[in-house]
Amino acid sequence: MAEAFLAEFERVRDLLVENQERGPHGEYGLRVYHLDRFPYTVIYEPDERAGPQIYAIAHQHRAPGYWAERL
């Protein structure tokens, strides 16, 4: 299961590197992109020079914004 999760994350990461505007706008001016096979959301900020800056891989069933203290 861990390998499947990692493969799904890497798939999403590659999509975001390819096109950083894929995910809709979320809170705090960041973007979000949902994993297909797992109930997680990647919270990231587009950065044309360095690539997408990922702030959290947040579980969708936890309290909204629990990850925001990382900003």
Side-chain angles (χ1 to χ4, degrees), residues 2-42:
E3 288 179 7
F5 181 84
L6 182 58
E8 175 67 3
F9 169 74
E10 289 173 343
R11 182 189 73 80
V12 168
R13 179 203 59 206
D14 292 346
L15 288 173
L16 297 177
V17 167
E18 195 176 285
N19 180 0
Q20 296 186 51
E21 306 300 317
R22 279 189 183 266
H25 292 280
E27 299 176 291
Y28 309 104
L30 303 175
R31 289 177 129 10
V32 298
Y33 196 90
H34 303 291
L35 275 63
D36 287 340
R37 294 185 56 201
F38 298 90
Y40 285 86
T41 299
V42 176

Side-chain angles (χ1 to χ4, degrees), residues 36-63:
D36 287 340
R37 294 185 56 201
F38 298 90
Y40 285 86
T41 299
V42 176
I43 291 97
Y44 70 100
E45 179 178 35
D47 184 326
E48 291 302 320
R49 292 183 78 184
Q53 302 300 298
I54 296 174
Y55 289 99
I57 301 170
H59 196 281
Q60 295 169 0
H61 298 284
R62 289 197 55 189

